[in-house]
Amino acid sequence: MLSEYVFFFALKGGGLLENIPRVLADNLAITLDFTQINIQPVFAWLAATGNINDVEMQRTYNCGIGLILIVAPAVKDVILDAVTRHGGNVIGSVTARSSSQPRVHIDKTEFSTNIQRVQRLLTVPKKRVGVLISGSGSNLQALIDATRTTIMGIGAEIVFVISNKENVFGLSRASAAGIPTSVLNHRDYKTREEFDASMTRALESQSIDIVCLAGFMRILSNEFVRKWKGRLLNVHPSLLPKYPGLNAQRQAIDAKDTCSGCTVHFVDEGVDTGRIILQRSVLIESDETVESLTNKIHVAEHYVFPIALRMVATGIVSL
Ligand code: GRF
């Protein structure tokens, strides 16, 4: 059934401008949106080192786009749900074409801005990221994996993990990745402010630039939030401003919502009220349980949190 709506092709052995027309009918044009496409660092390096101009890059290389699915708008959300764990994203559109129009349209400014941004990234030191956890740390793992691949160009590395609980699985994940950890038990401090001050000291001792909250189950003091303002990110399991605080998945199901998702946002003094950086939605089925929805949202979080970190680390967004 889906085959009526979905068509895919792999971009092997050729560039965007050469390869796409081979599989697209004459009366169709494709627009690639290079505000949404991540040019892989190796292609940015190649262009700079080989002094290759933008059009030649597009003609000769796929710039990191390995597989394109063309899907009918009616099934877009279902397909996006299915491909999220493989890093799929909407990267363009197909429209009717007259014979005078190009087969593939790439906005010159979008492409050059994108490739120059990645080239700049290759020359600056990576931002040092500290991650605060209280539990399983699957988002921590997603951040570690994404910052260690050569293809994402995140411009940051995870160098320190703090947990307020002993023996949580996130600590084992950090150790397995060779990342130093520290357990700071909030019960050992008289006040929230003292606990937070001790976290700040630990983070500063590791020269941390950006702090990511990945399932950190403590409300932070105003002092801590102000200290790390613009450098403090949280991931929340709902499409904020809907359902801040606890039990977001349960609330979405009880409200009979048909979609939910996750939000990565800057942290401010409120609970889940800071400026939103990125969101990703997931569908809620009629038989959805809190557990199944939580799993779906986790997949979306693992996709979107590293991208939000990249946006902050590379200065695409700031407060
Ligand atoms: C995530 O769902 C996140 O949205 C919330 O806490 C959960 C942490 O999960 N803030 P994990 O520890 O990263 O697996």
Side-chain angles (χ1 to χ4, degrees):
M1 173 67 174
L2 272 182
S3 61
E4 286 174 31
Y5 297 96
V6 182
F7 167 70
F8 76 89
F9 57 91
L11 290 171
K12 281 190 175 159
L16 301 170
L17 300 183
E18 305 262 300
N19 229 330
I20 292 175
R22 281 194 208 127
V23 292
L24 212 59
D26 266 1
N27 59 349
L28 294 176
I30 191 164
T31 298
L32 291 175
D33 177 358
F34 269 87
T35 63
Q36 297 302 316
I37 296 167
N38 177 38
I39 296 180
Q40 292 182 6
V42 68
F43 292 101
W45 170 82
L46 196 62
T49 310
N51 193 26
I52 306 169
N53 69 44
D54 288 356
V55 173
E56 198 51 40
M57 285 302 295
Q58 295 160 17
R59 199 193 321 276
T60 313
Y61 301 103
N62 67 24
C63 299
I65 302 172
L67 184 76
I68 294 180
L69 301 179
I70 296 177
V71 309
V75 295
K76 189 192 96 187
D77 288 340
V78 179
I79 300 294
L80 210 48
D81 243 19
V83 300
T84 290
R85 68 175 72 239
H86 306 292
N89 199 15
V90 178
I91 60 167
S93 55
V94 175
T95 47
R97 164 184 177 267
S98 68
S99 55
S100 59
Q101 286 176 316
R103 311 280 292 277
V104 181
H105 179 253
I106 296 173
D107 183 279
K108 282 193 185 109
T109 311
E110 280 175 14
F111 187 88
S112 64
T113 306
N114 191 324
I115 201 162
Q116 284 168 23
R117 180 184 60 76
V118 183
Q119 283 163 348
R120 274 196 304 278
L121 193 64
L122 296 171
T123 64
V124 295
K126 289 181 177 166
K127 293 279 189 297
R128 292 173 62 79
V129 178
V131 182
L132 310 189
I133 60 166
S134 304
S136 98
S138 69
N139 279 286
L140 164 67
Q141 189 68 57
L143 292 172
I144 294 171
D145 294 344
T147 48
R148 289 184 176 187
T149 65
T150 53
I151 59 172
M152 294 261 315
I154 293 196
E157 56 188 337
I158 313 302
V159 295
F160 189 42
V161 172
I162 296 179
S163 172
N164 67 321
K165 291 191 176 161
E166 281 176 30
N167 301 322
V168 292
F169 188 51
L171 287 168
S172 311
R173 294 182 194 268
S175 300
I179 298 169
T181 62
S182 176
V183 176
L184 298 176
N185 188 338
H186 55 277
R187 294 178 206 281
D188 295 341
Y189 299 84
K190 283 201 204 93
T191 63
R192 190 179 298 282
E193 286 69 23
E194 281 177 33
F195 171 63
D196 287 0
S198 127
M199 285 202 298
T200 288
R201 280 194 298 279
L203 291 164
E204 286 187 329
S205 76
Q206 299 285 333
S207 307
I208 296 301
D209 300 305
I210 297 173
V211 179
C212 290
L213 307 179
F216 185 65
M217 303 306 284
R218 299 277 310 158
I219 293 193
L220 295 162
S221 61
N222 288 349
E223 283 86 340
F224 188 90
V225 171
R226 279 188 216 118
K227 161 81 195 168
W228 295 97
K229 189 175 177 196
R231 304 183 292 148
L232 185 56
L233 278 56
N234 181 42
V235 62
H236 181 77
S238 79
L239 295 174
L240 291 171
K242 261 190 161 179
Y243 314 133
L246 296 174
N247 302 321
Q249 297 92 328
R250 159 67 45 218
Q251 292 184 65
I253 290 176
D254 287 351
K256 302 207 178 332
D257 291 351
T258 52
C259 86
S260 178
C262 65
T263 304
V264 184
H265 62 96
F266 287 110
V267 177
D268 68 7
E269 286 89 343
V271 175
D272 303 322
T273 50
R275 294 282 293 272
I276 291 172
I277 301 168
L278 267 186
Q279 295 184 305
R280 182 121 172 148
S281 58
V282 304
L283 300 173
I284 302 182
E285 309 291 341
S286 52
D287 60 350
E288 202 78 58
T289 63
V290 170
E291 191 187 7
S292 65
L293 181 58
T294 300
N295 290 339
K296 274 188 191 171
I297 292 177
H298 260 128
V299 173
E301 289 178 345
H302 301 163
Y303 176 74
V304 97
F305 204 178
I307 296 175
L309 175 60
R310 179 173 72 210
M311 291 168 82
V312 175
T314 59
I316 292 176
V317 295
S318 58
L319 264 190

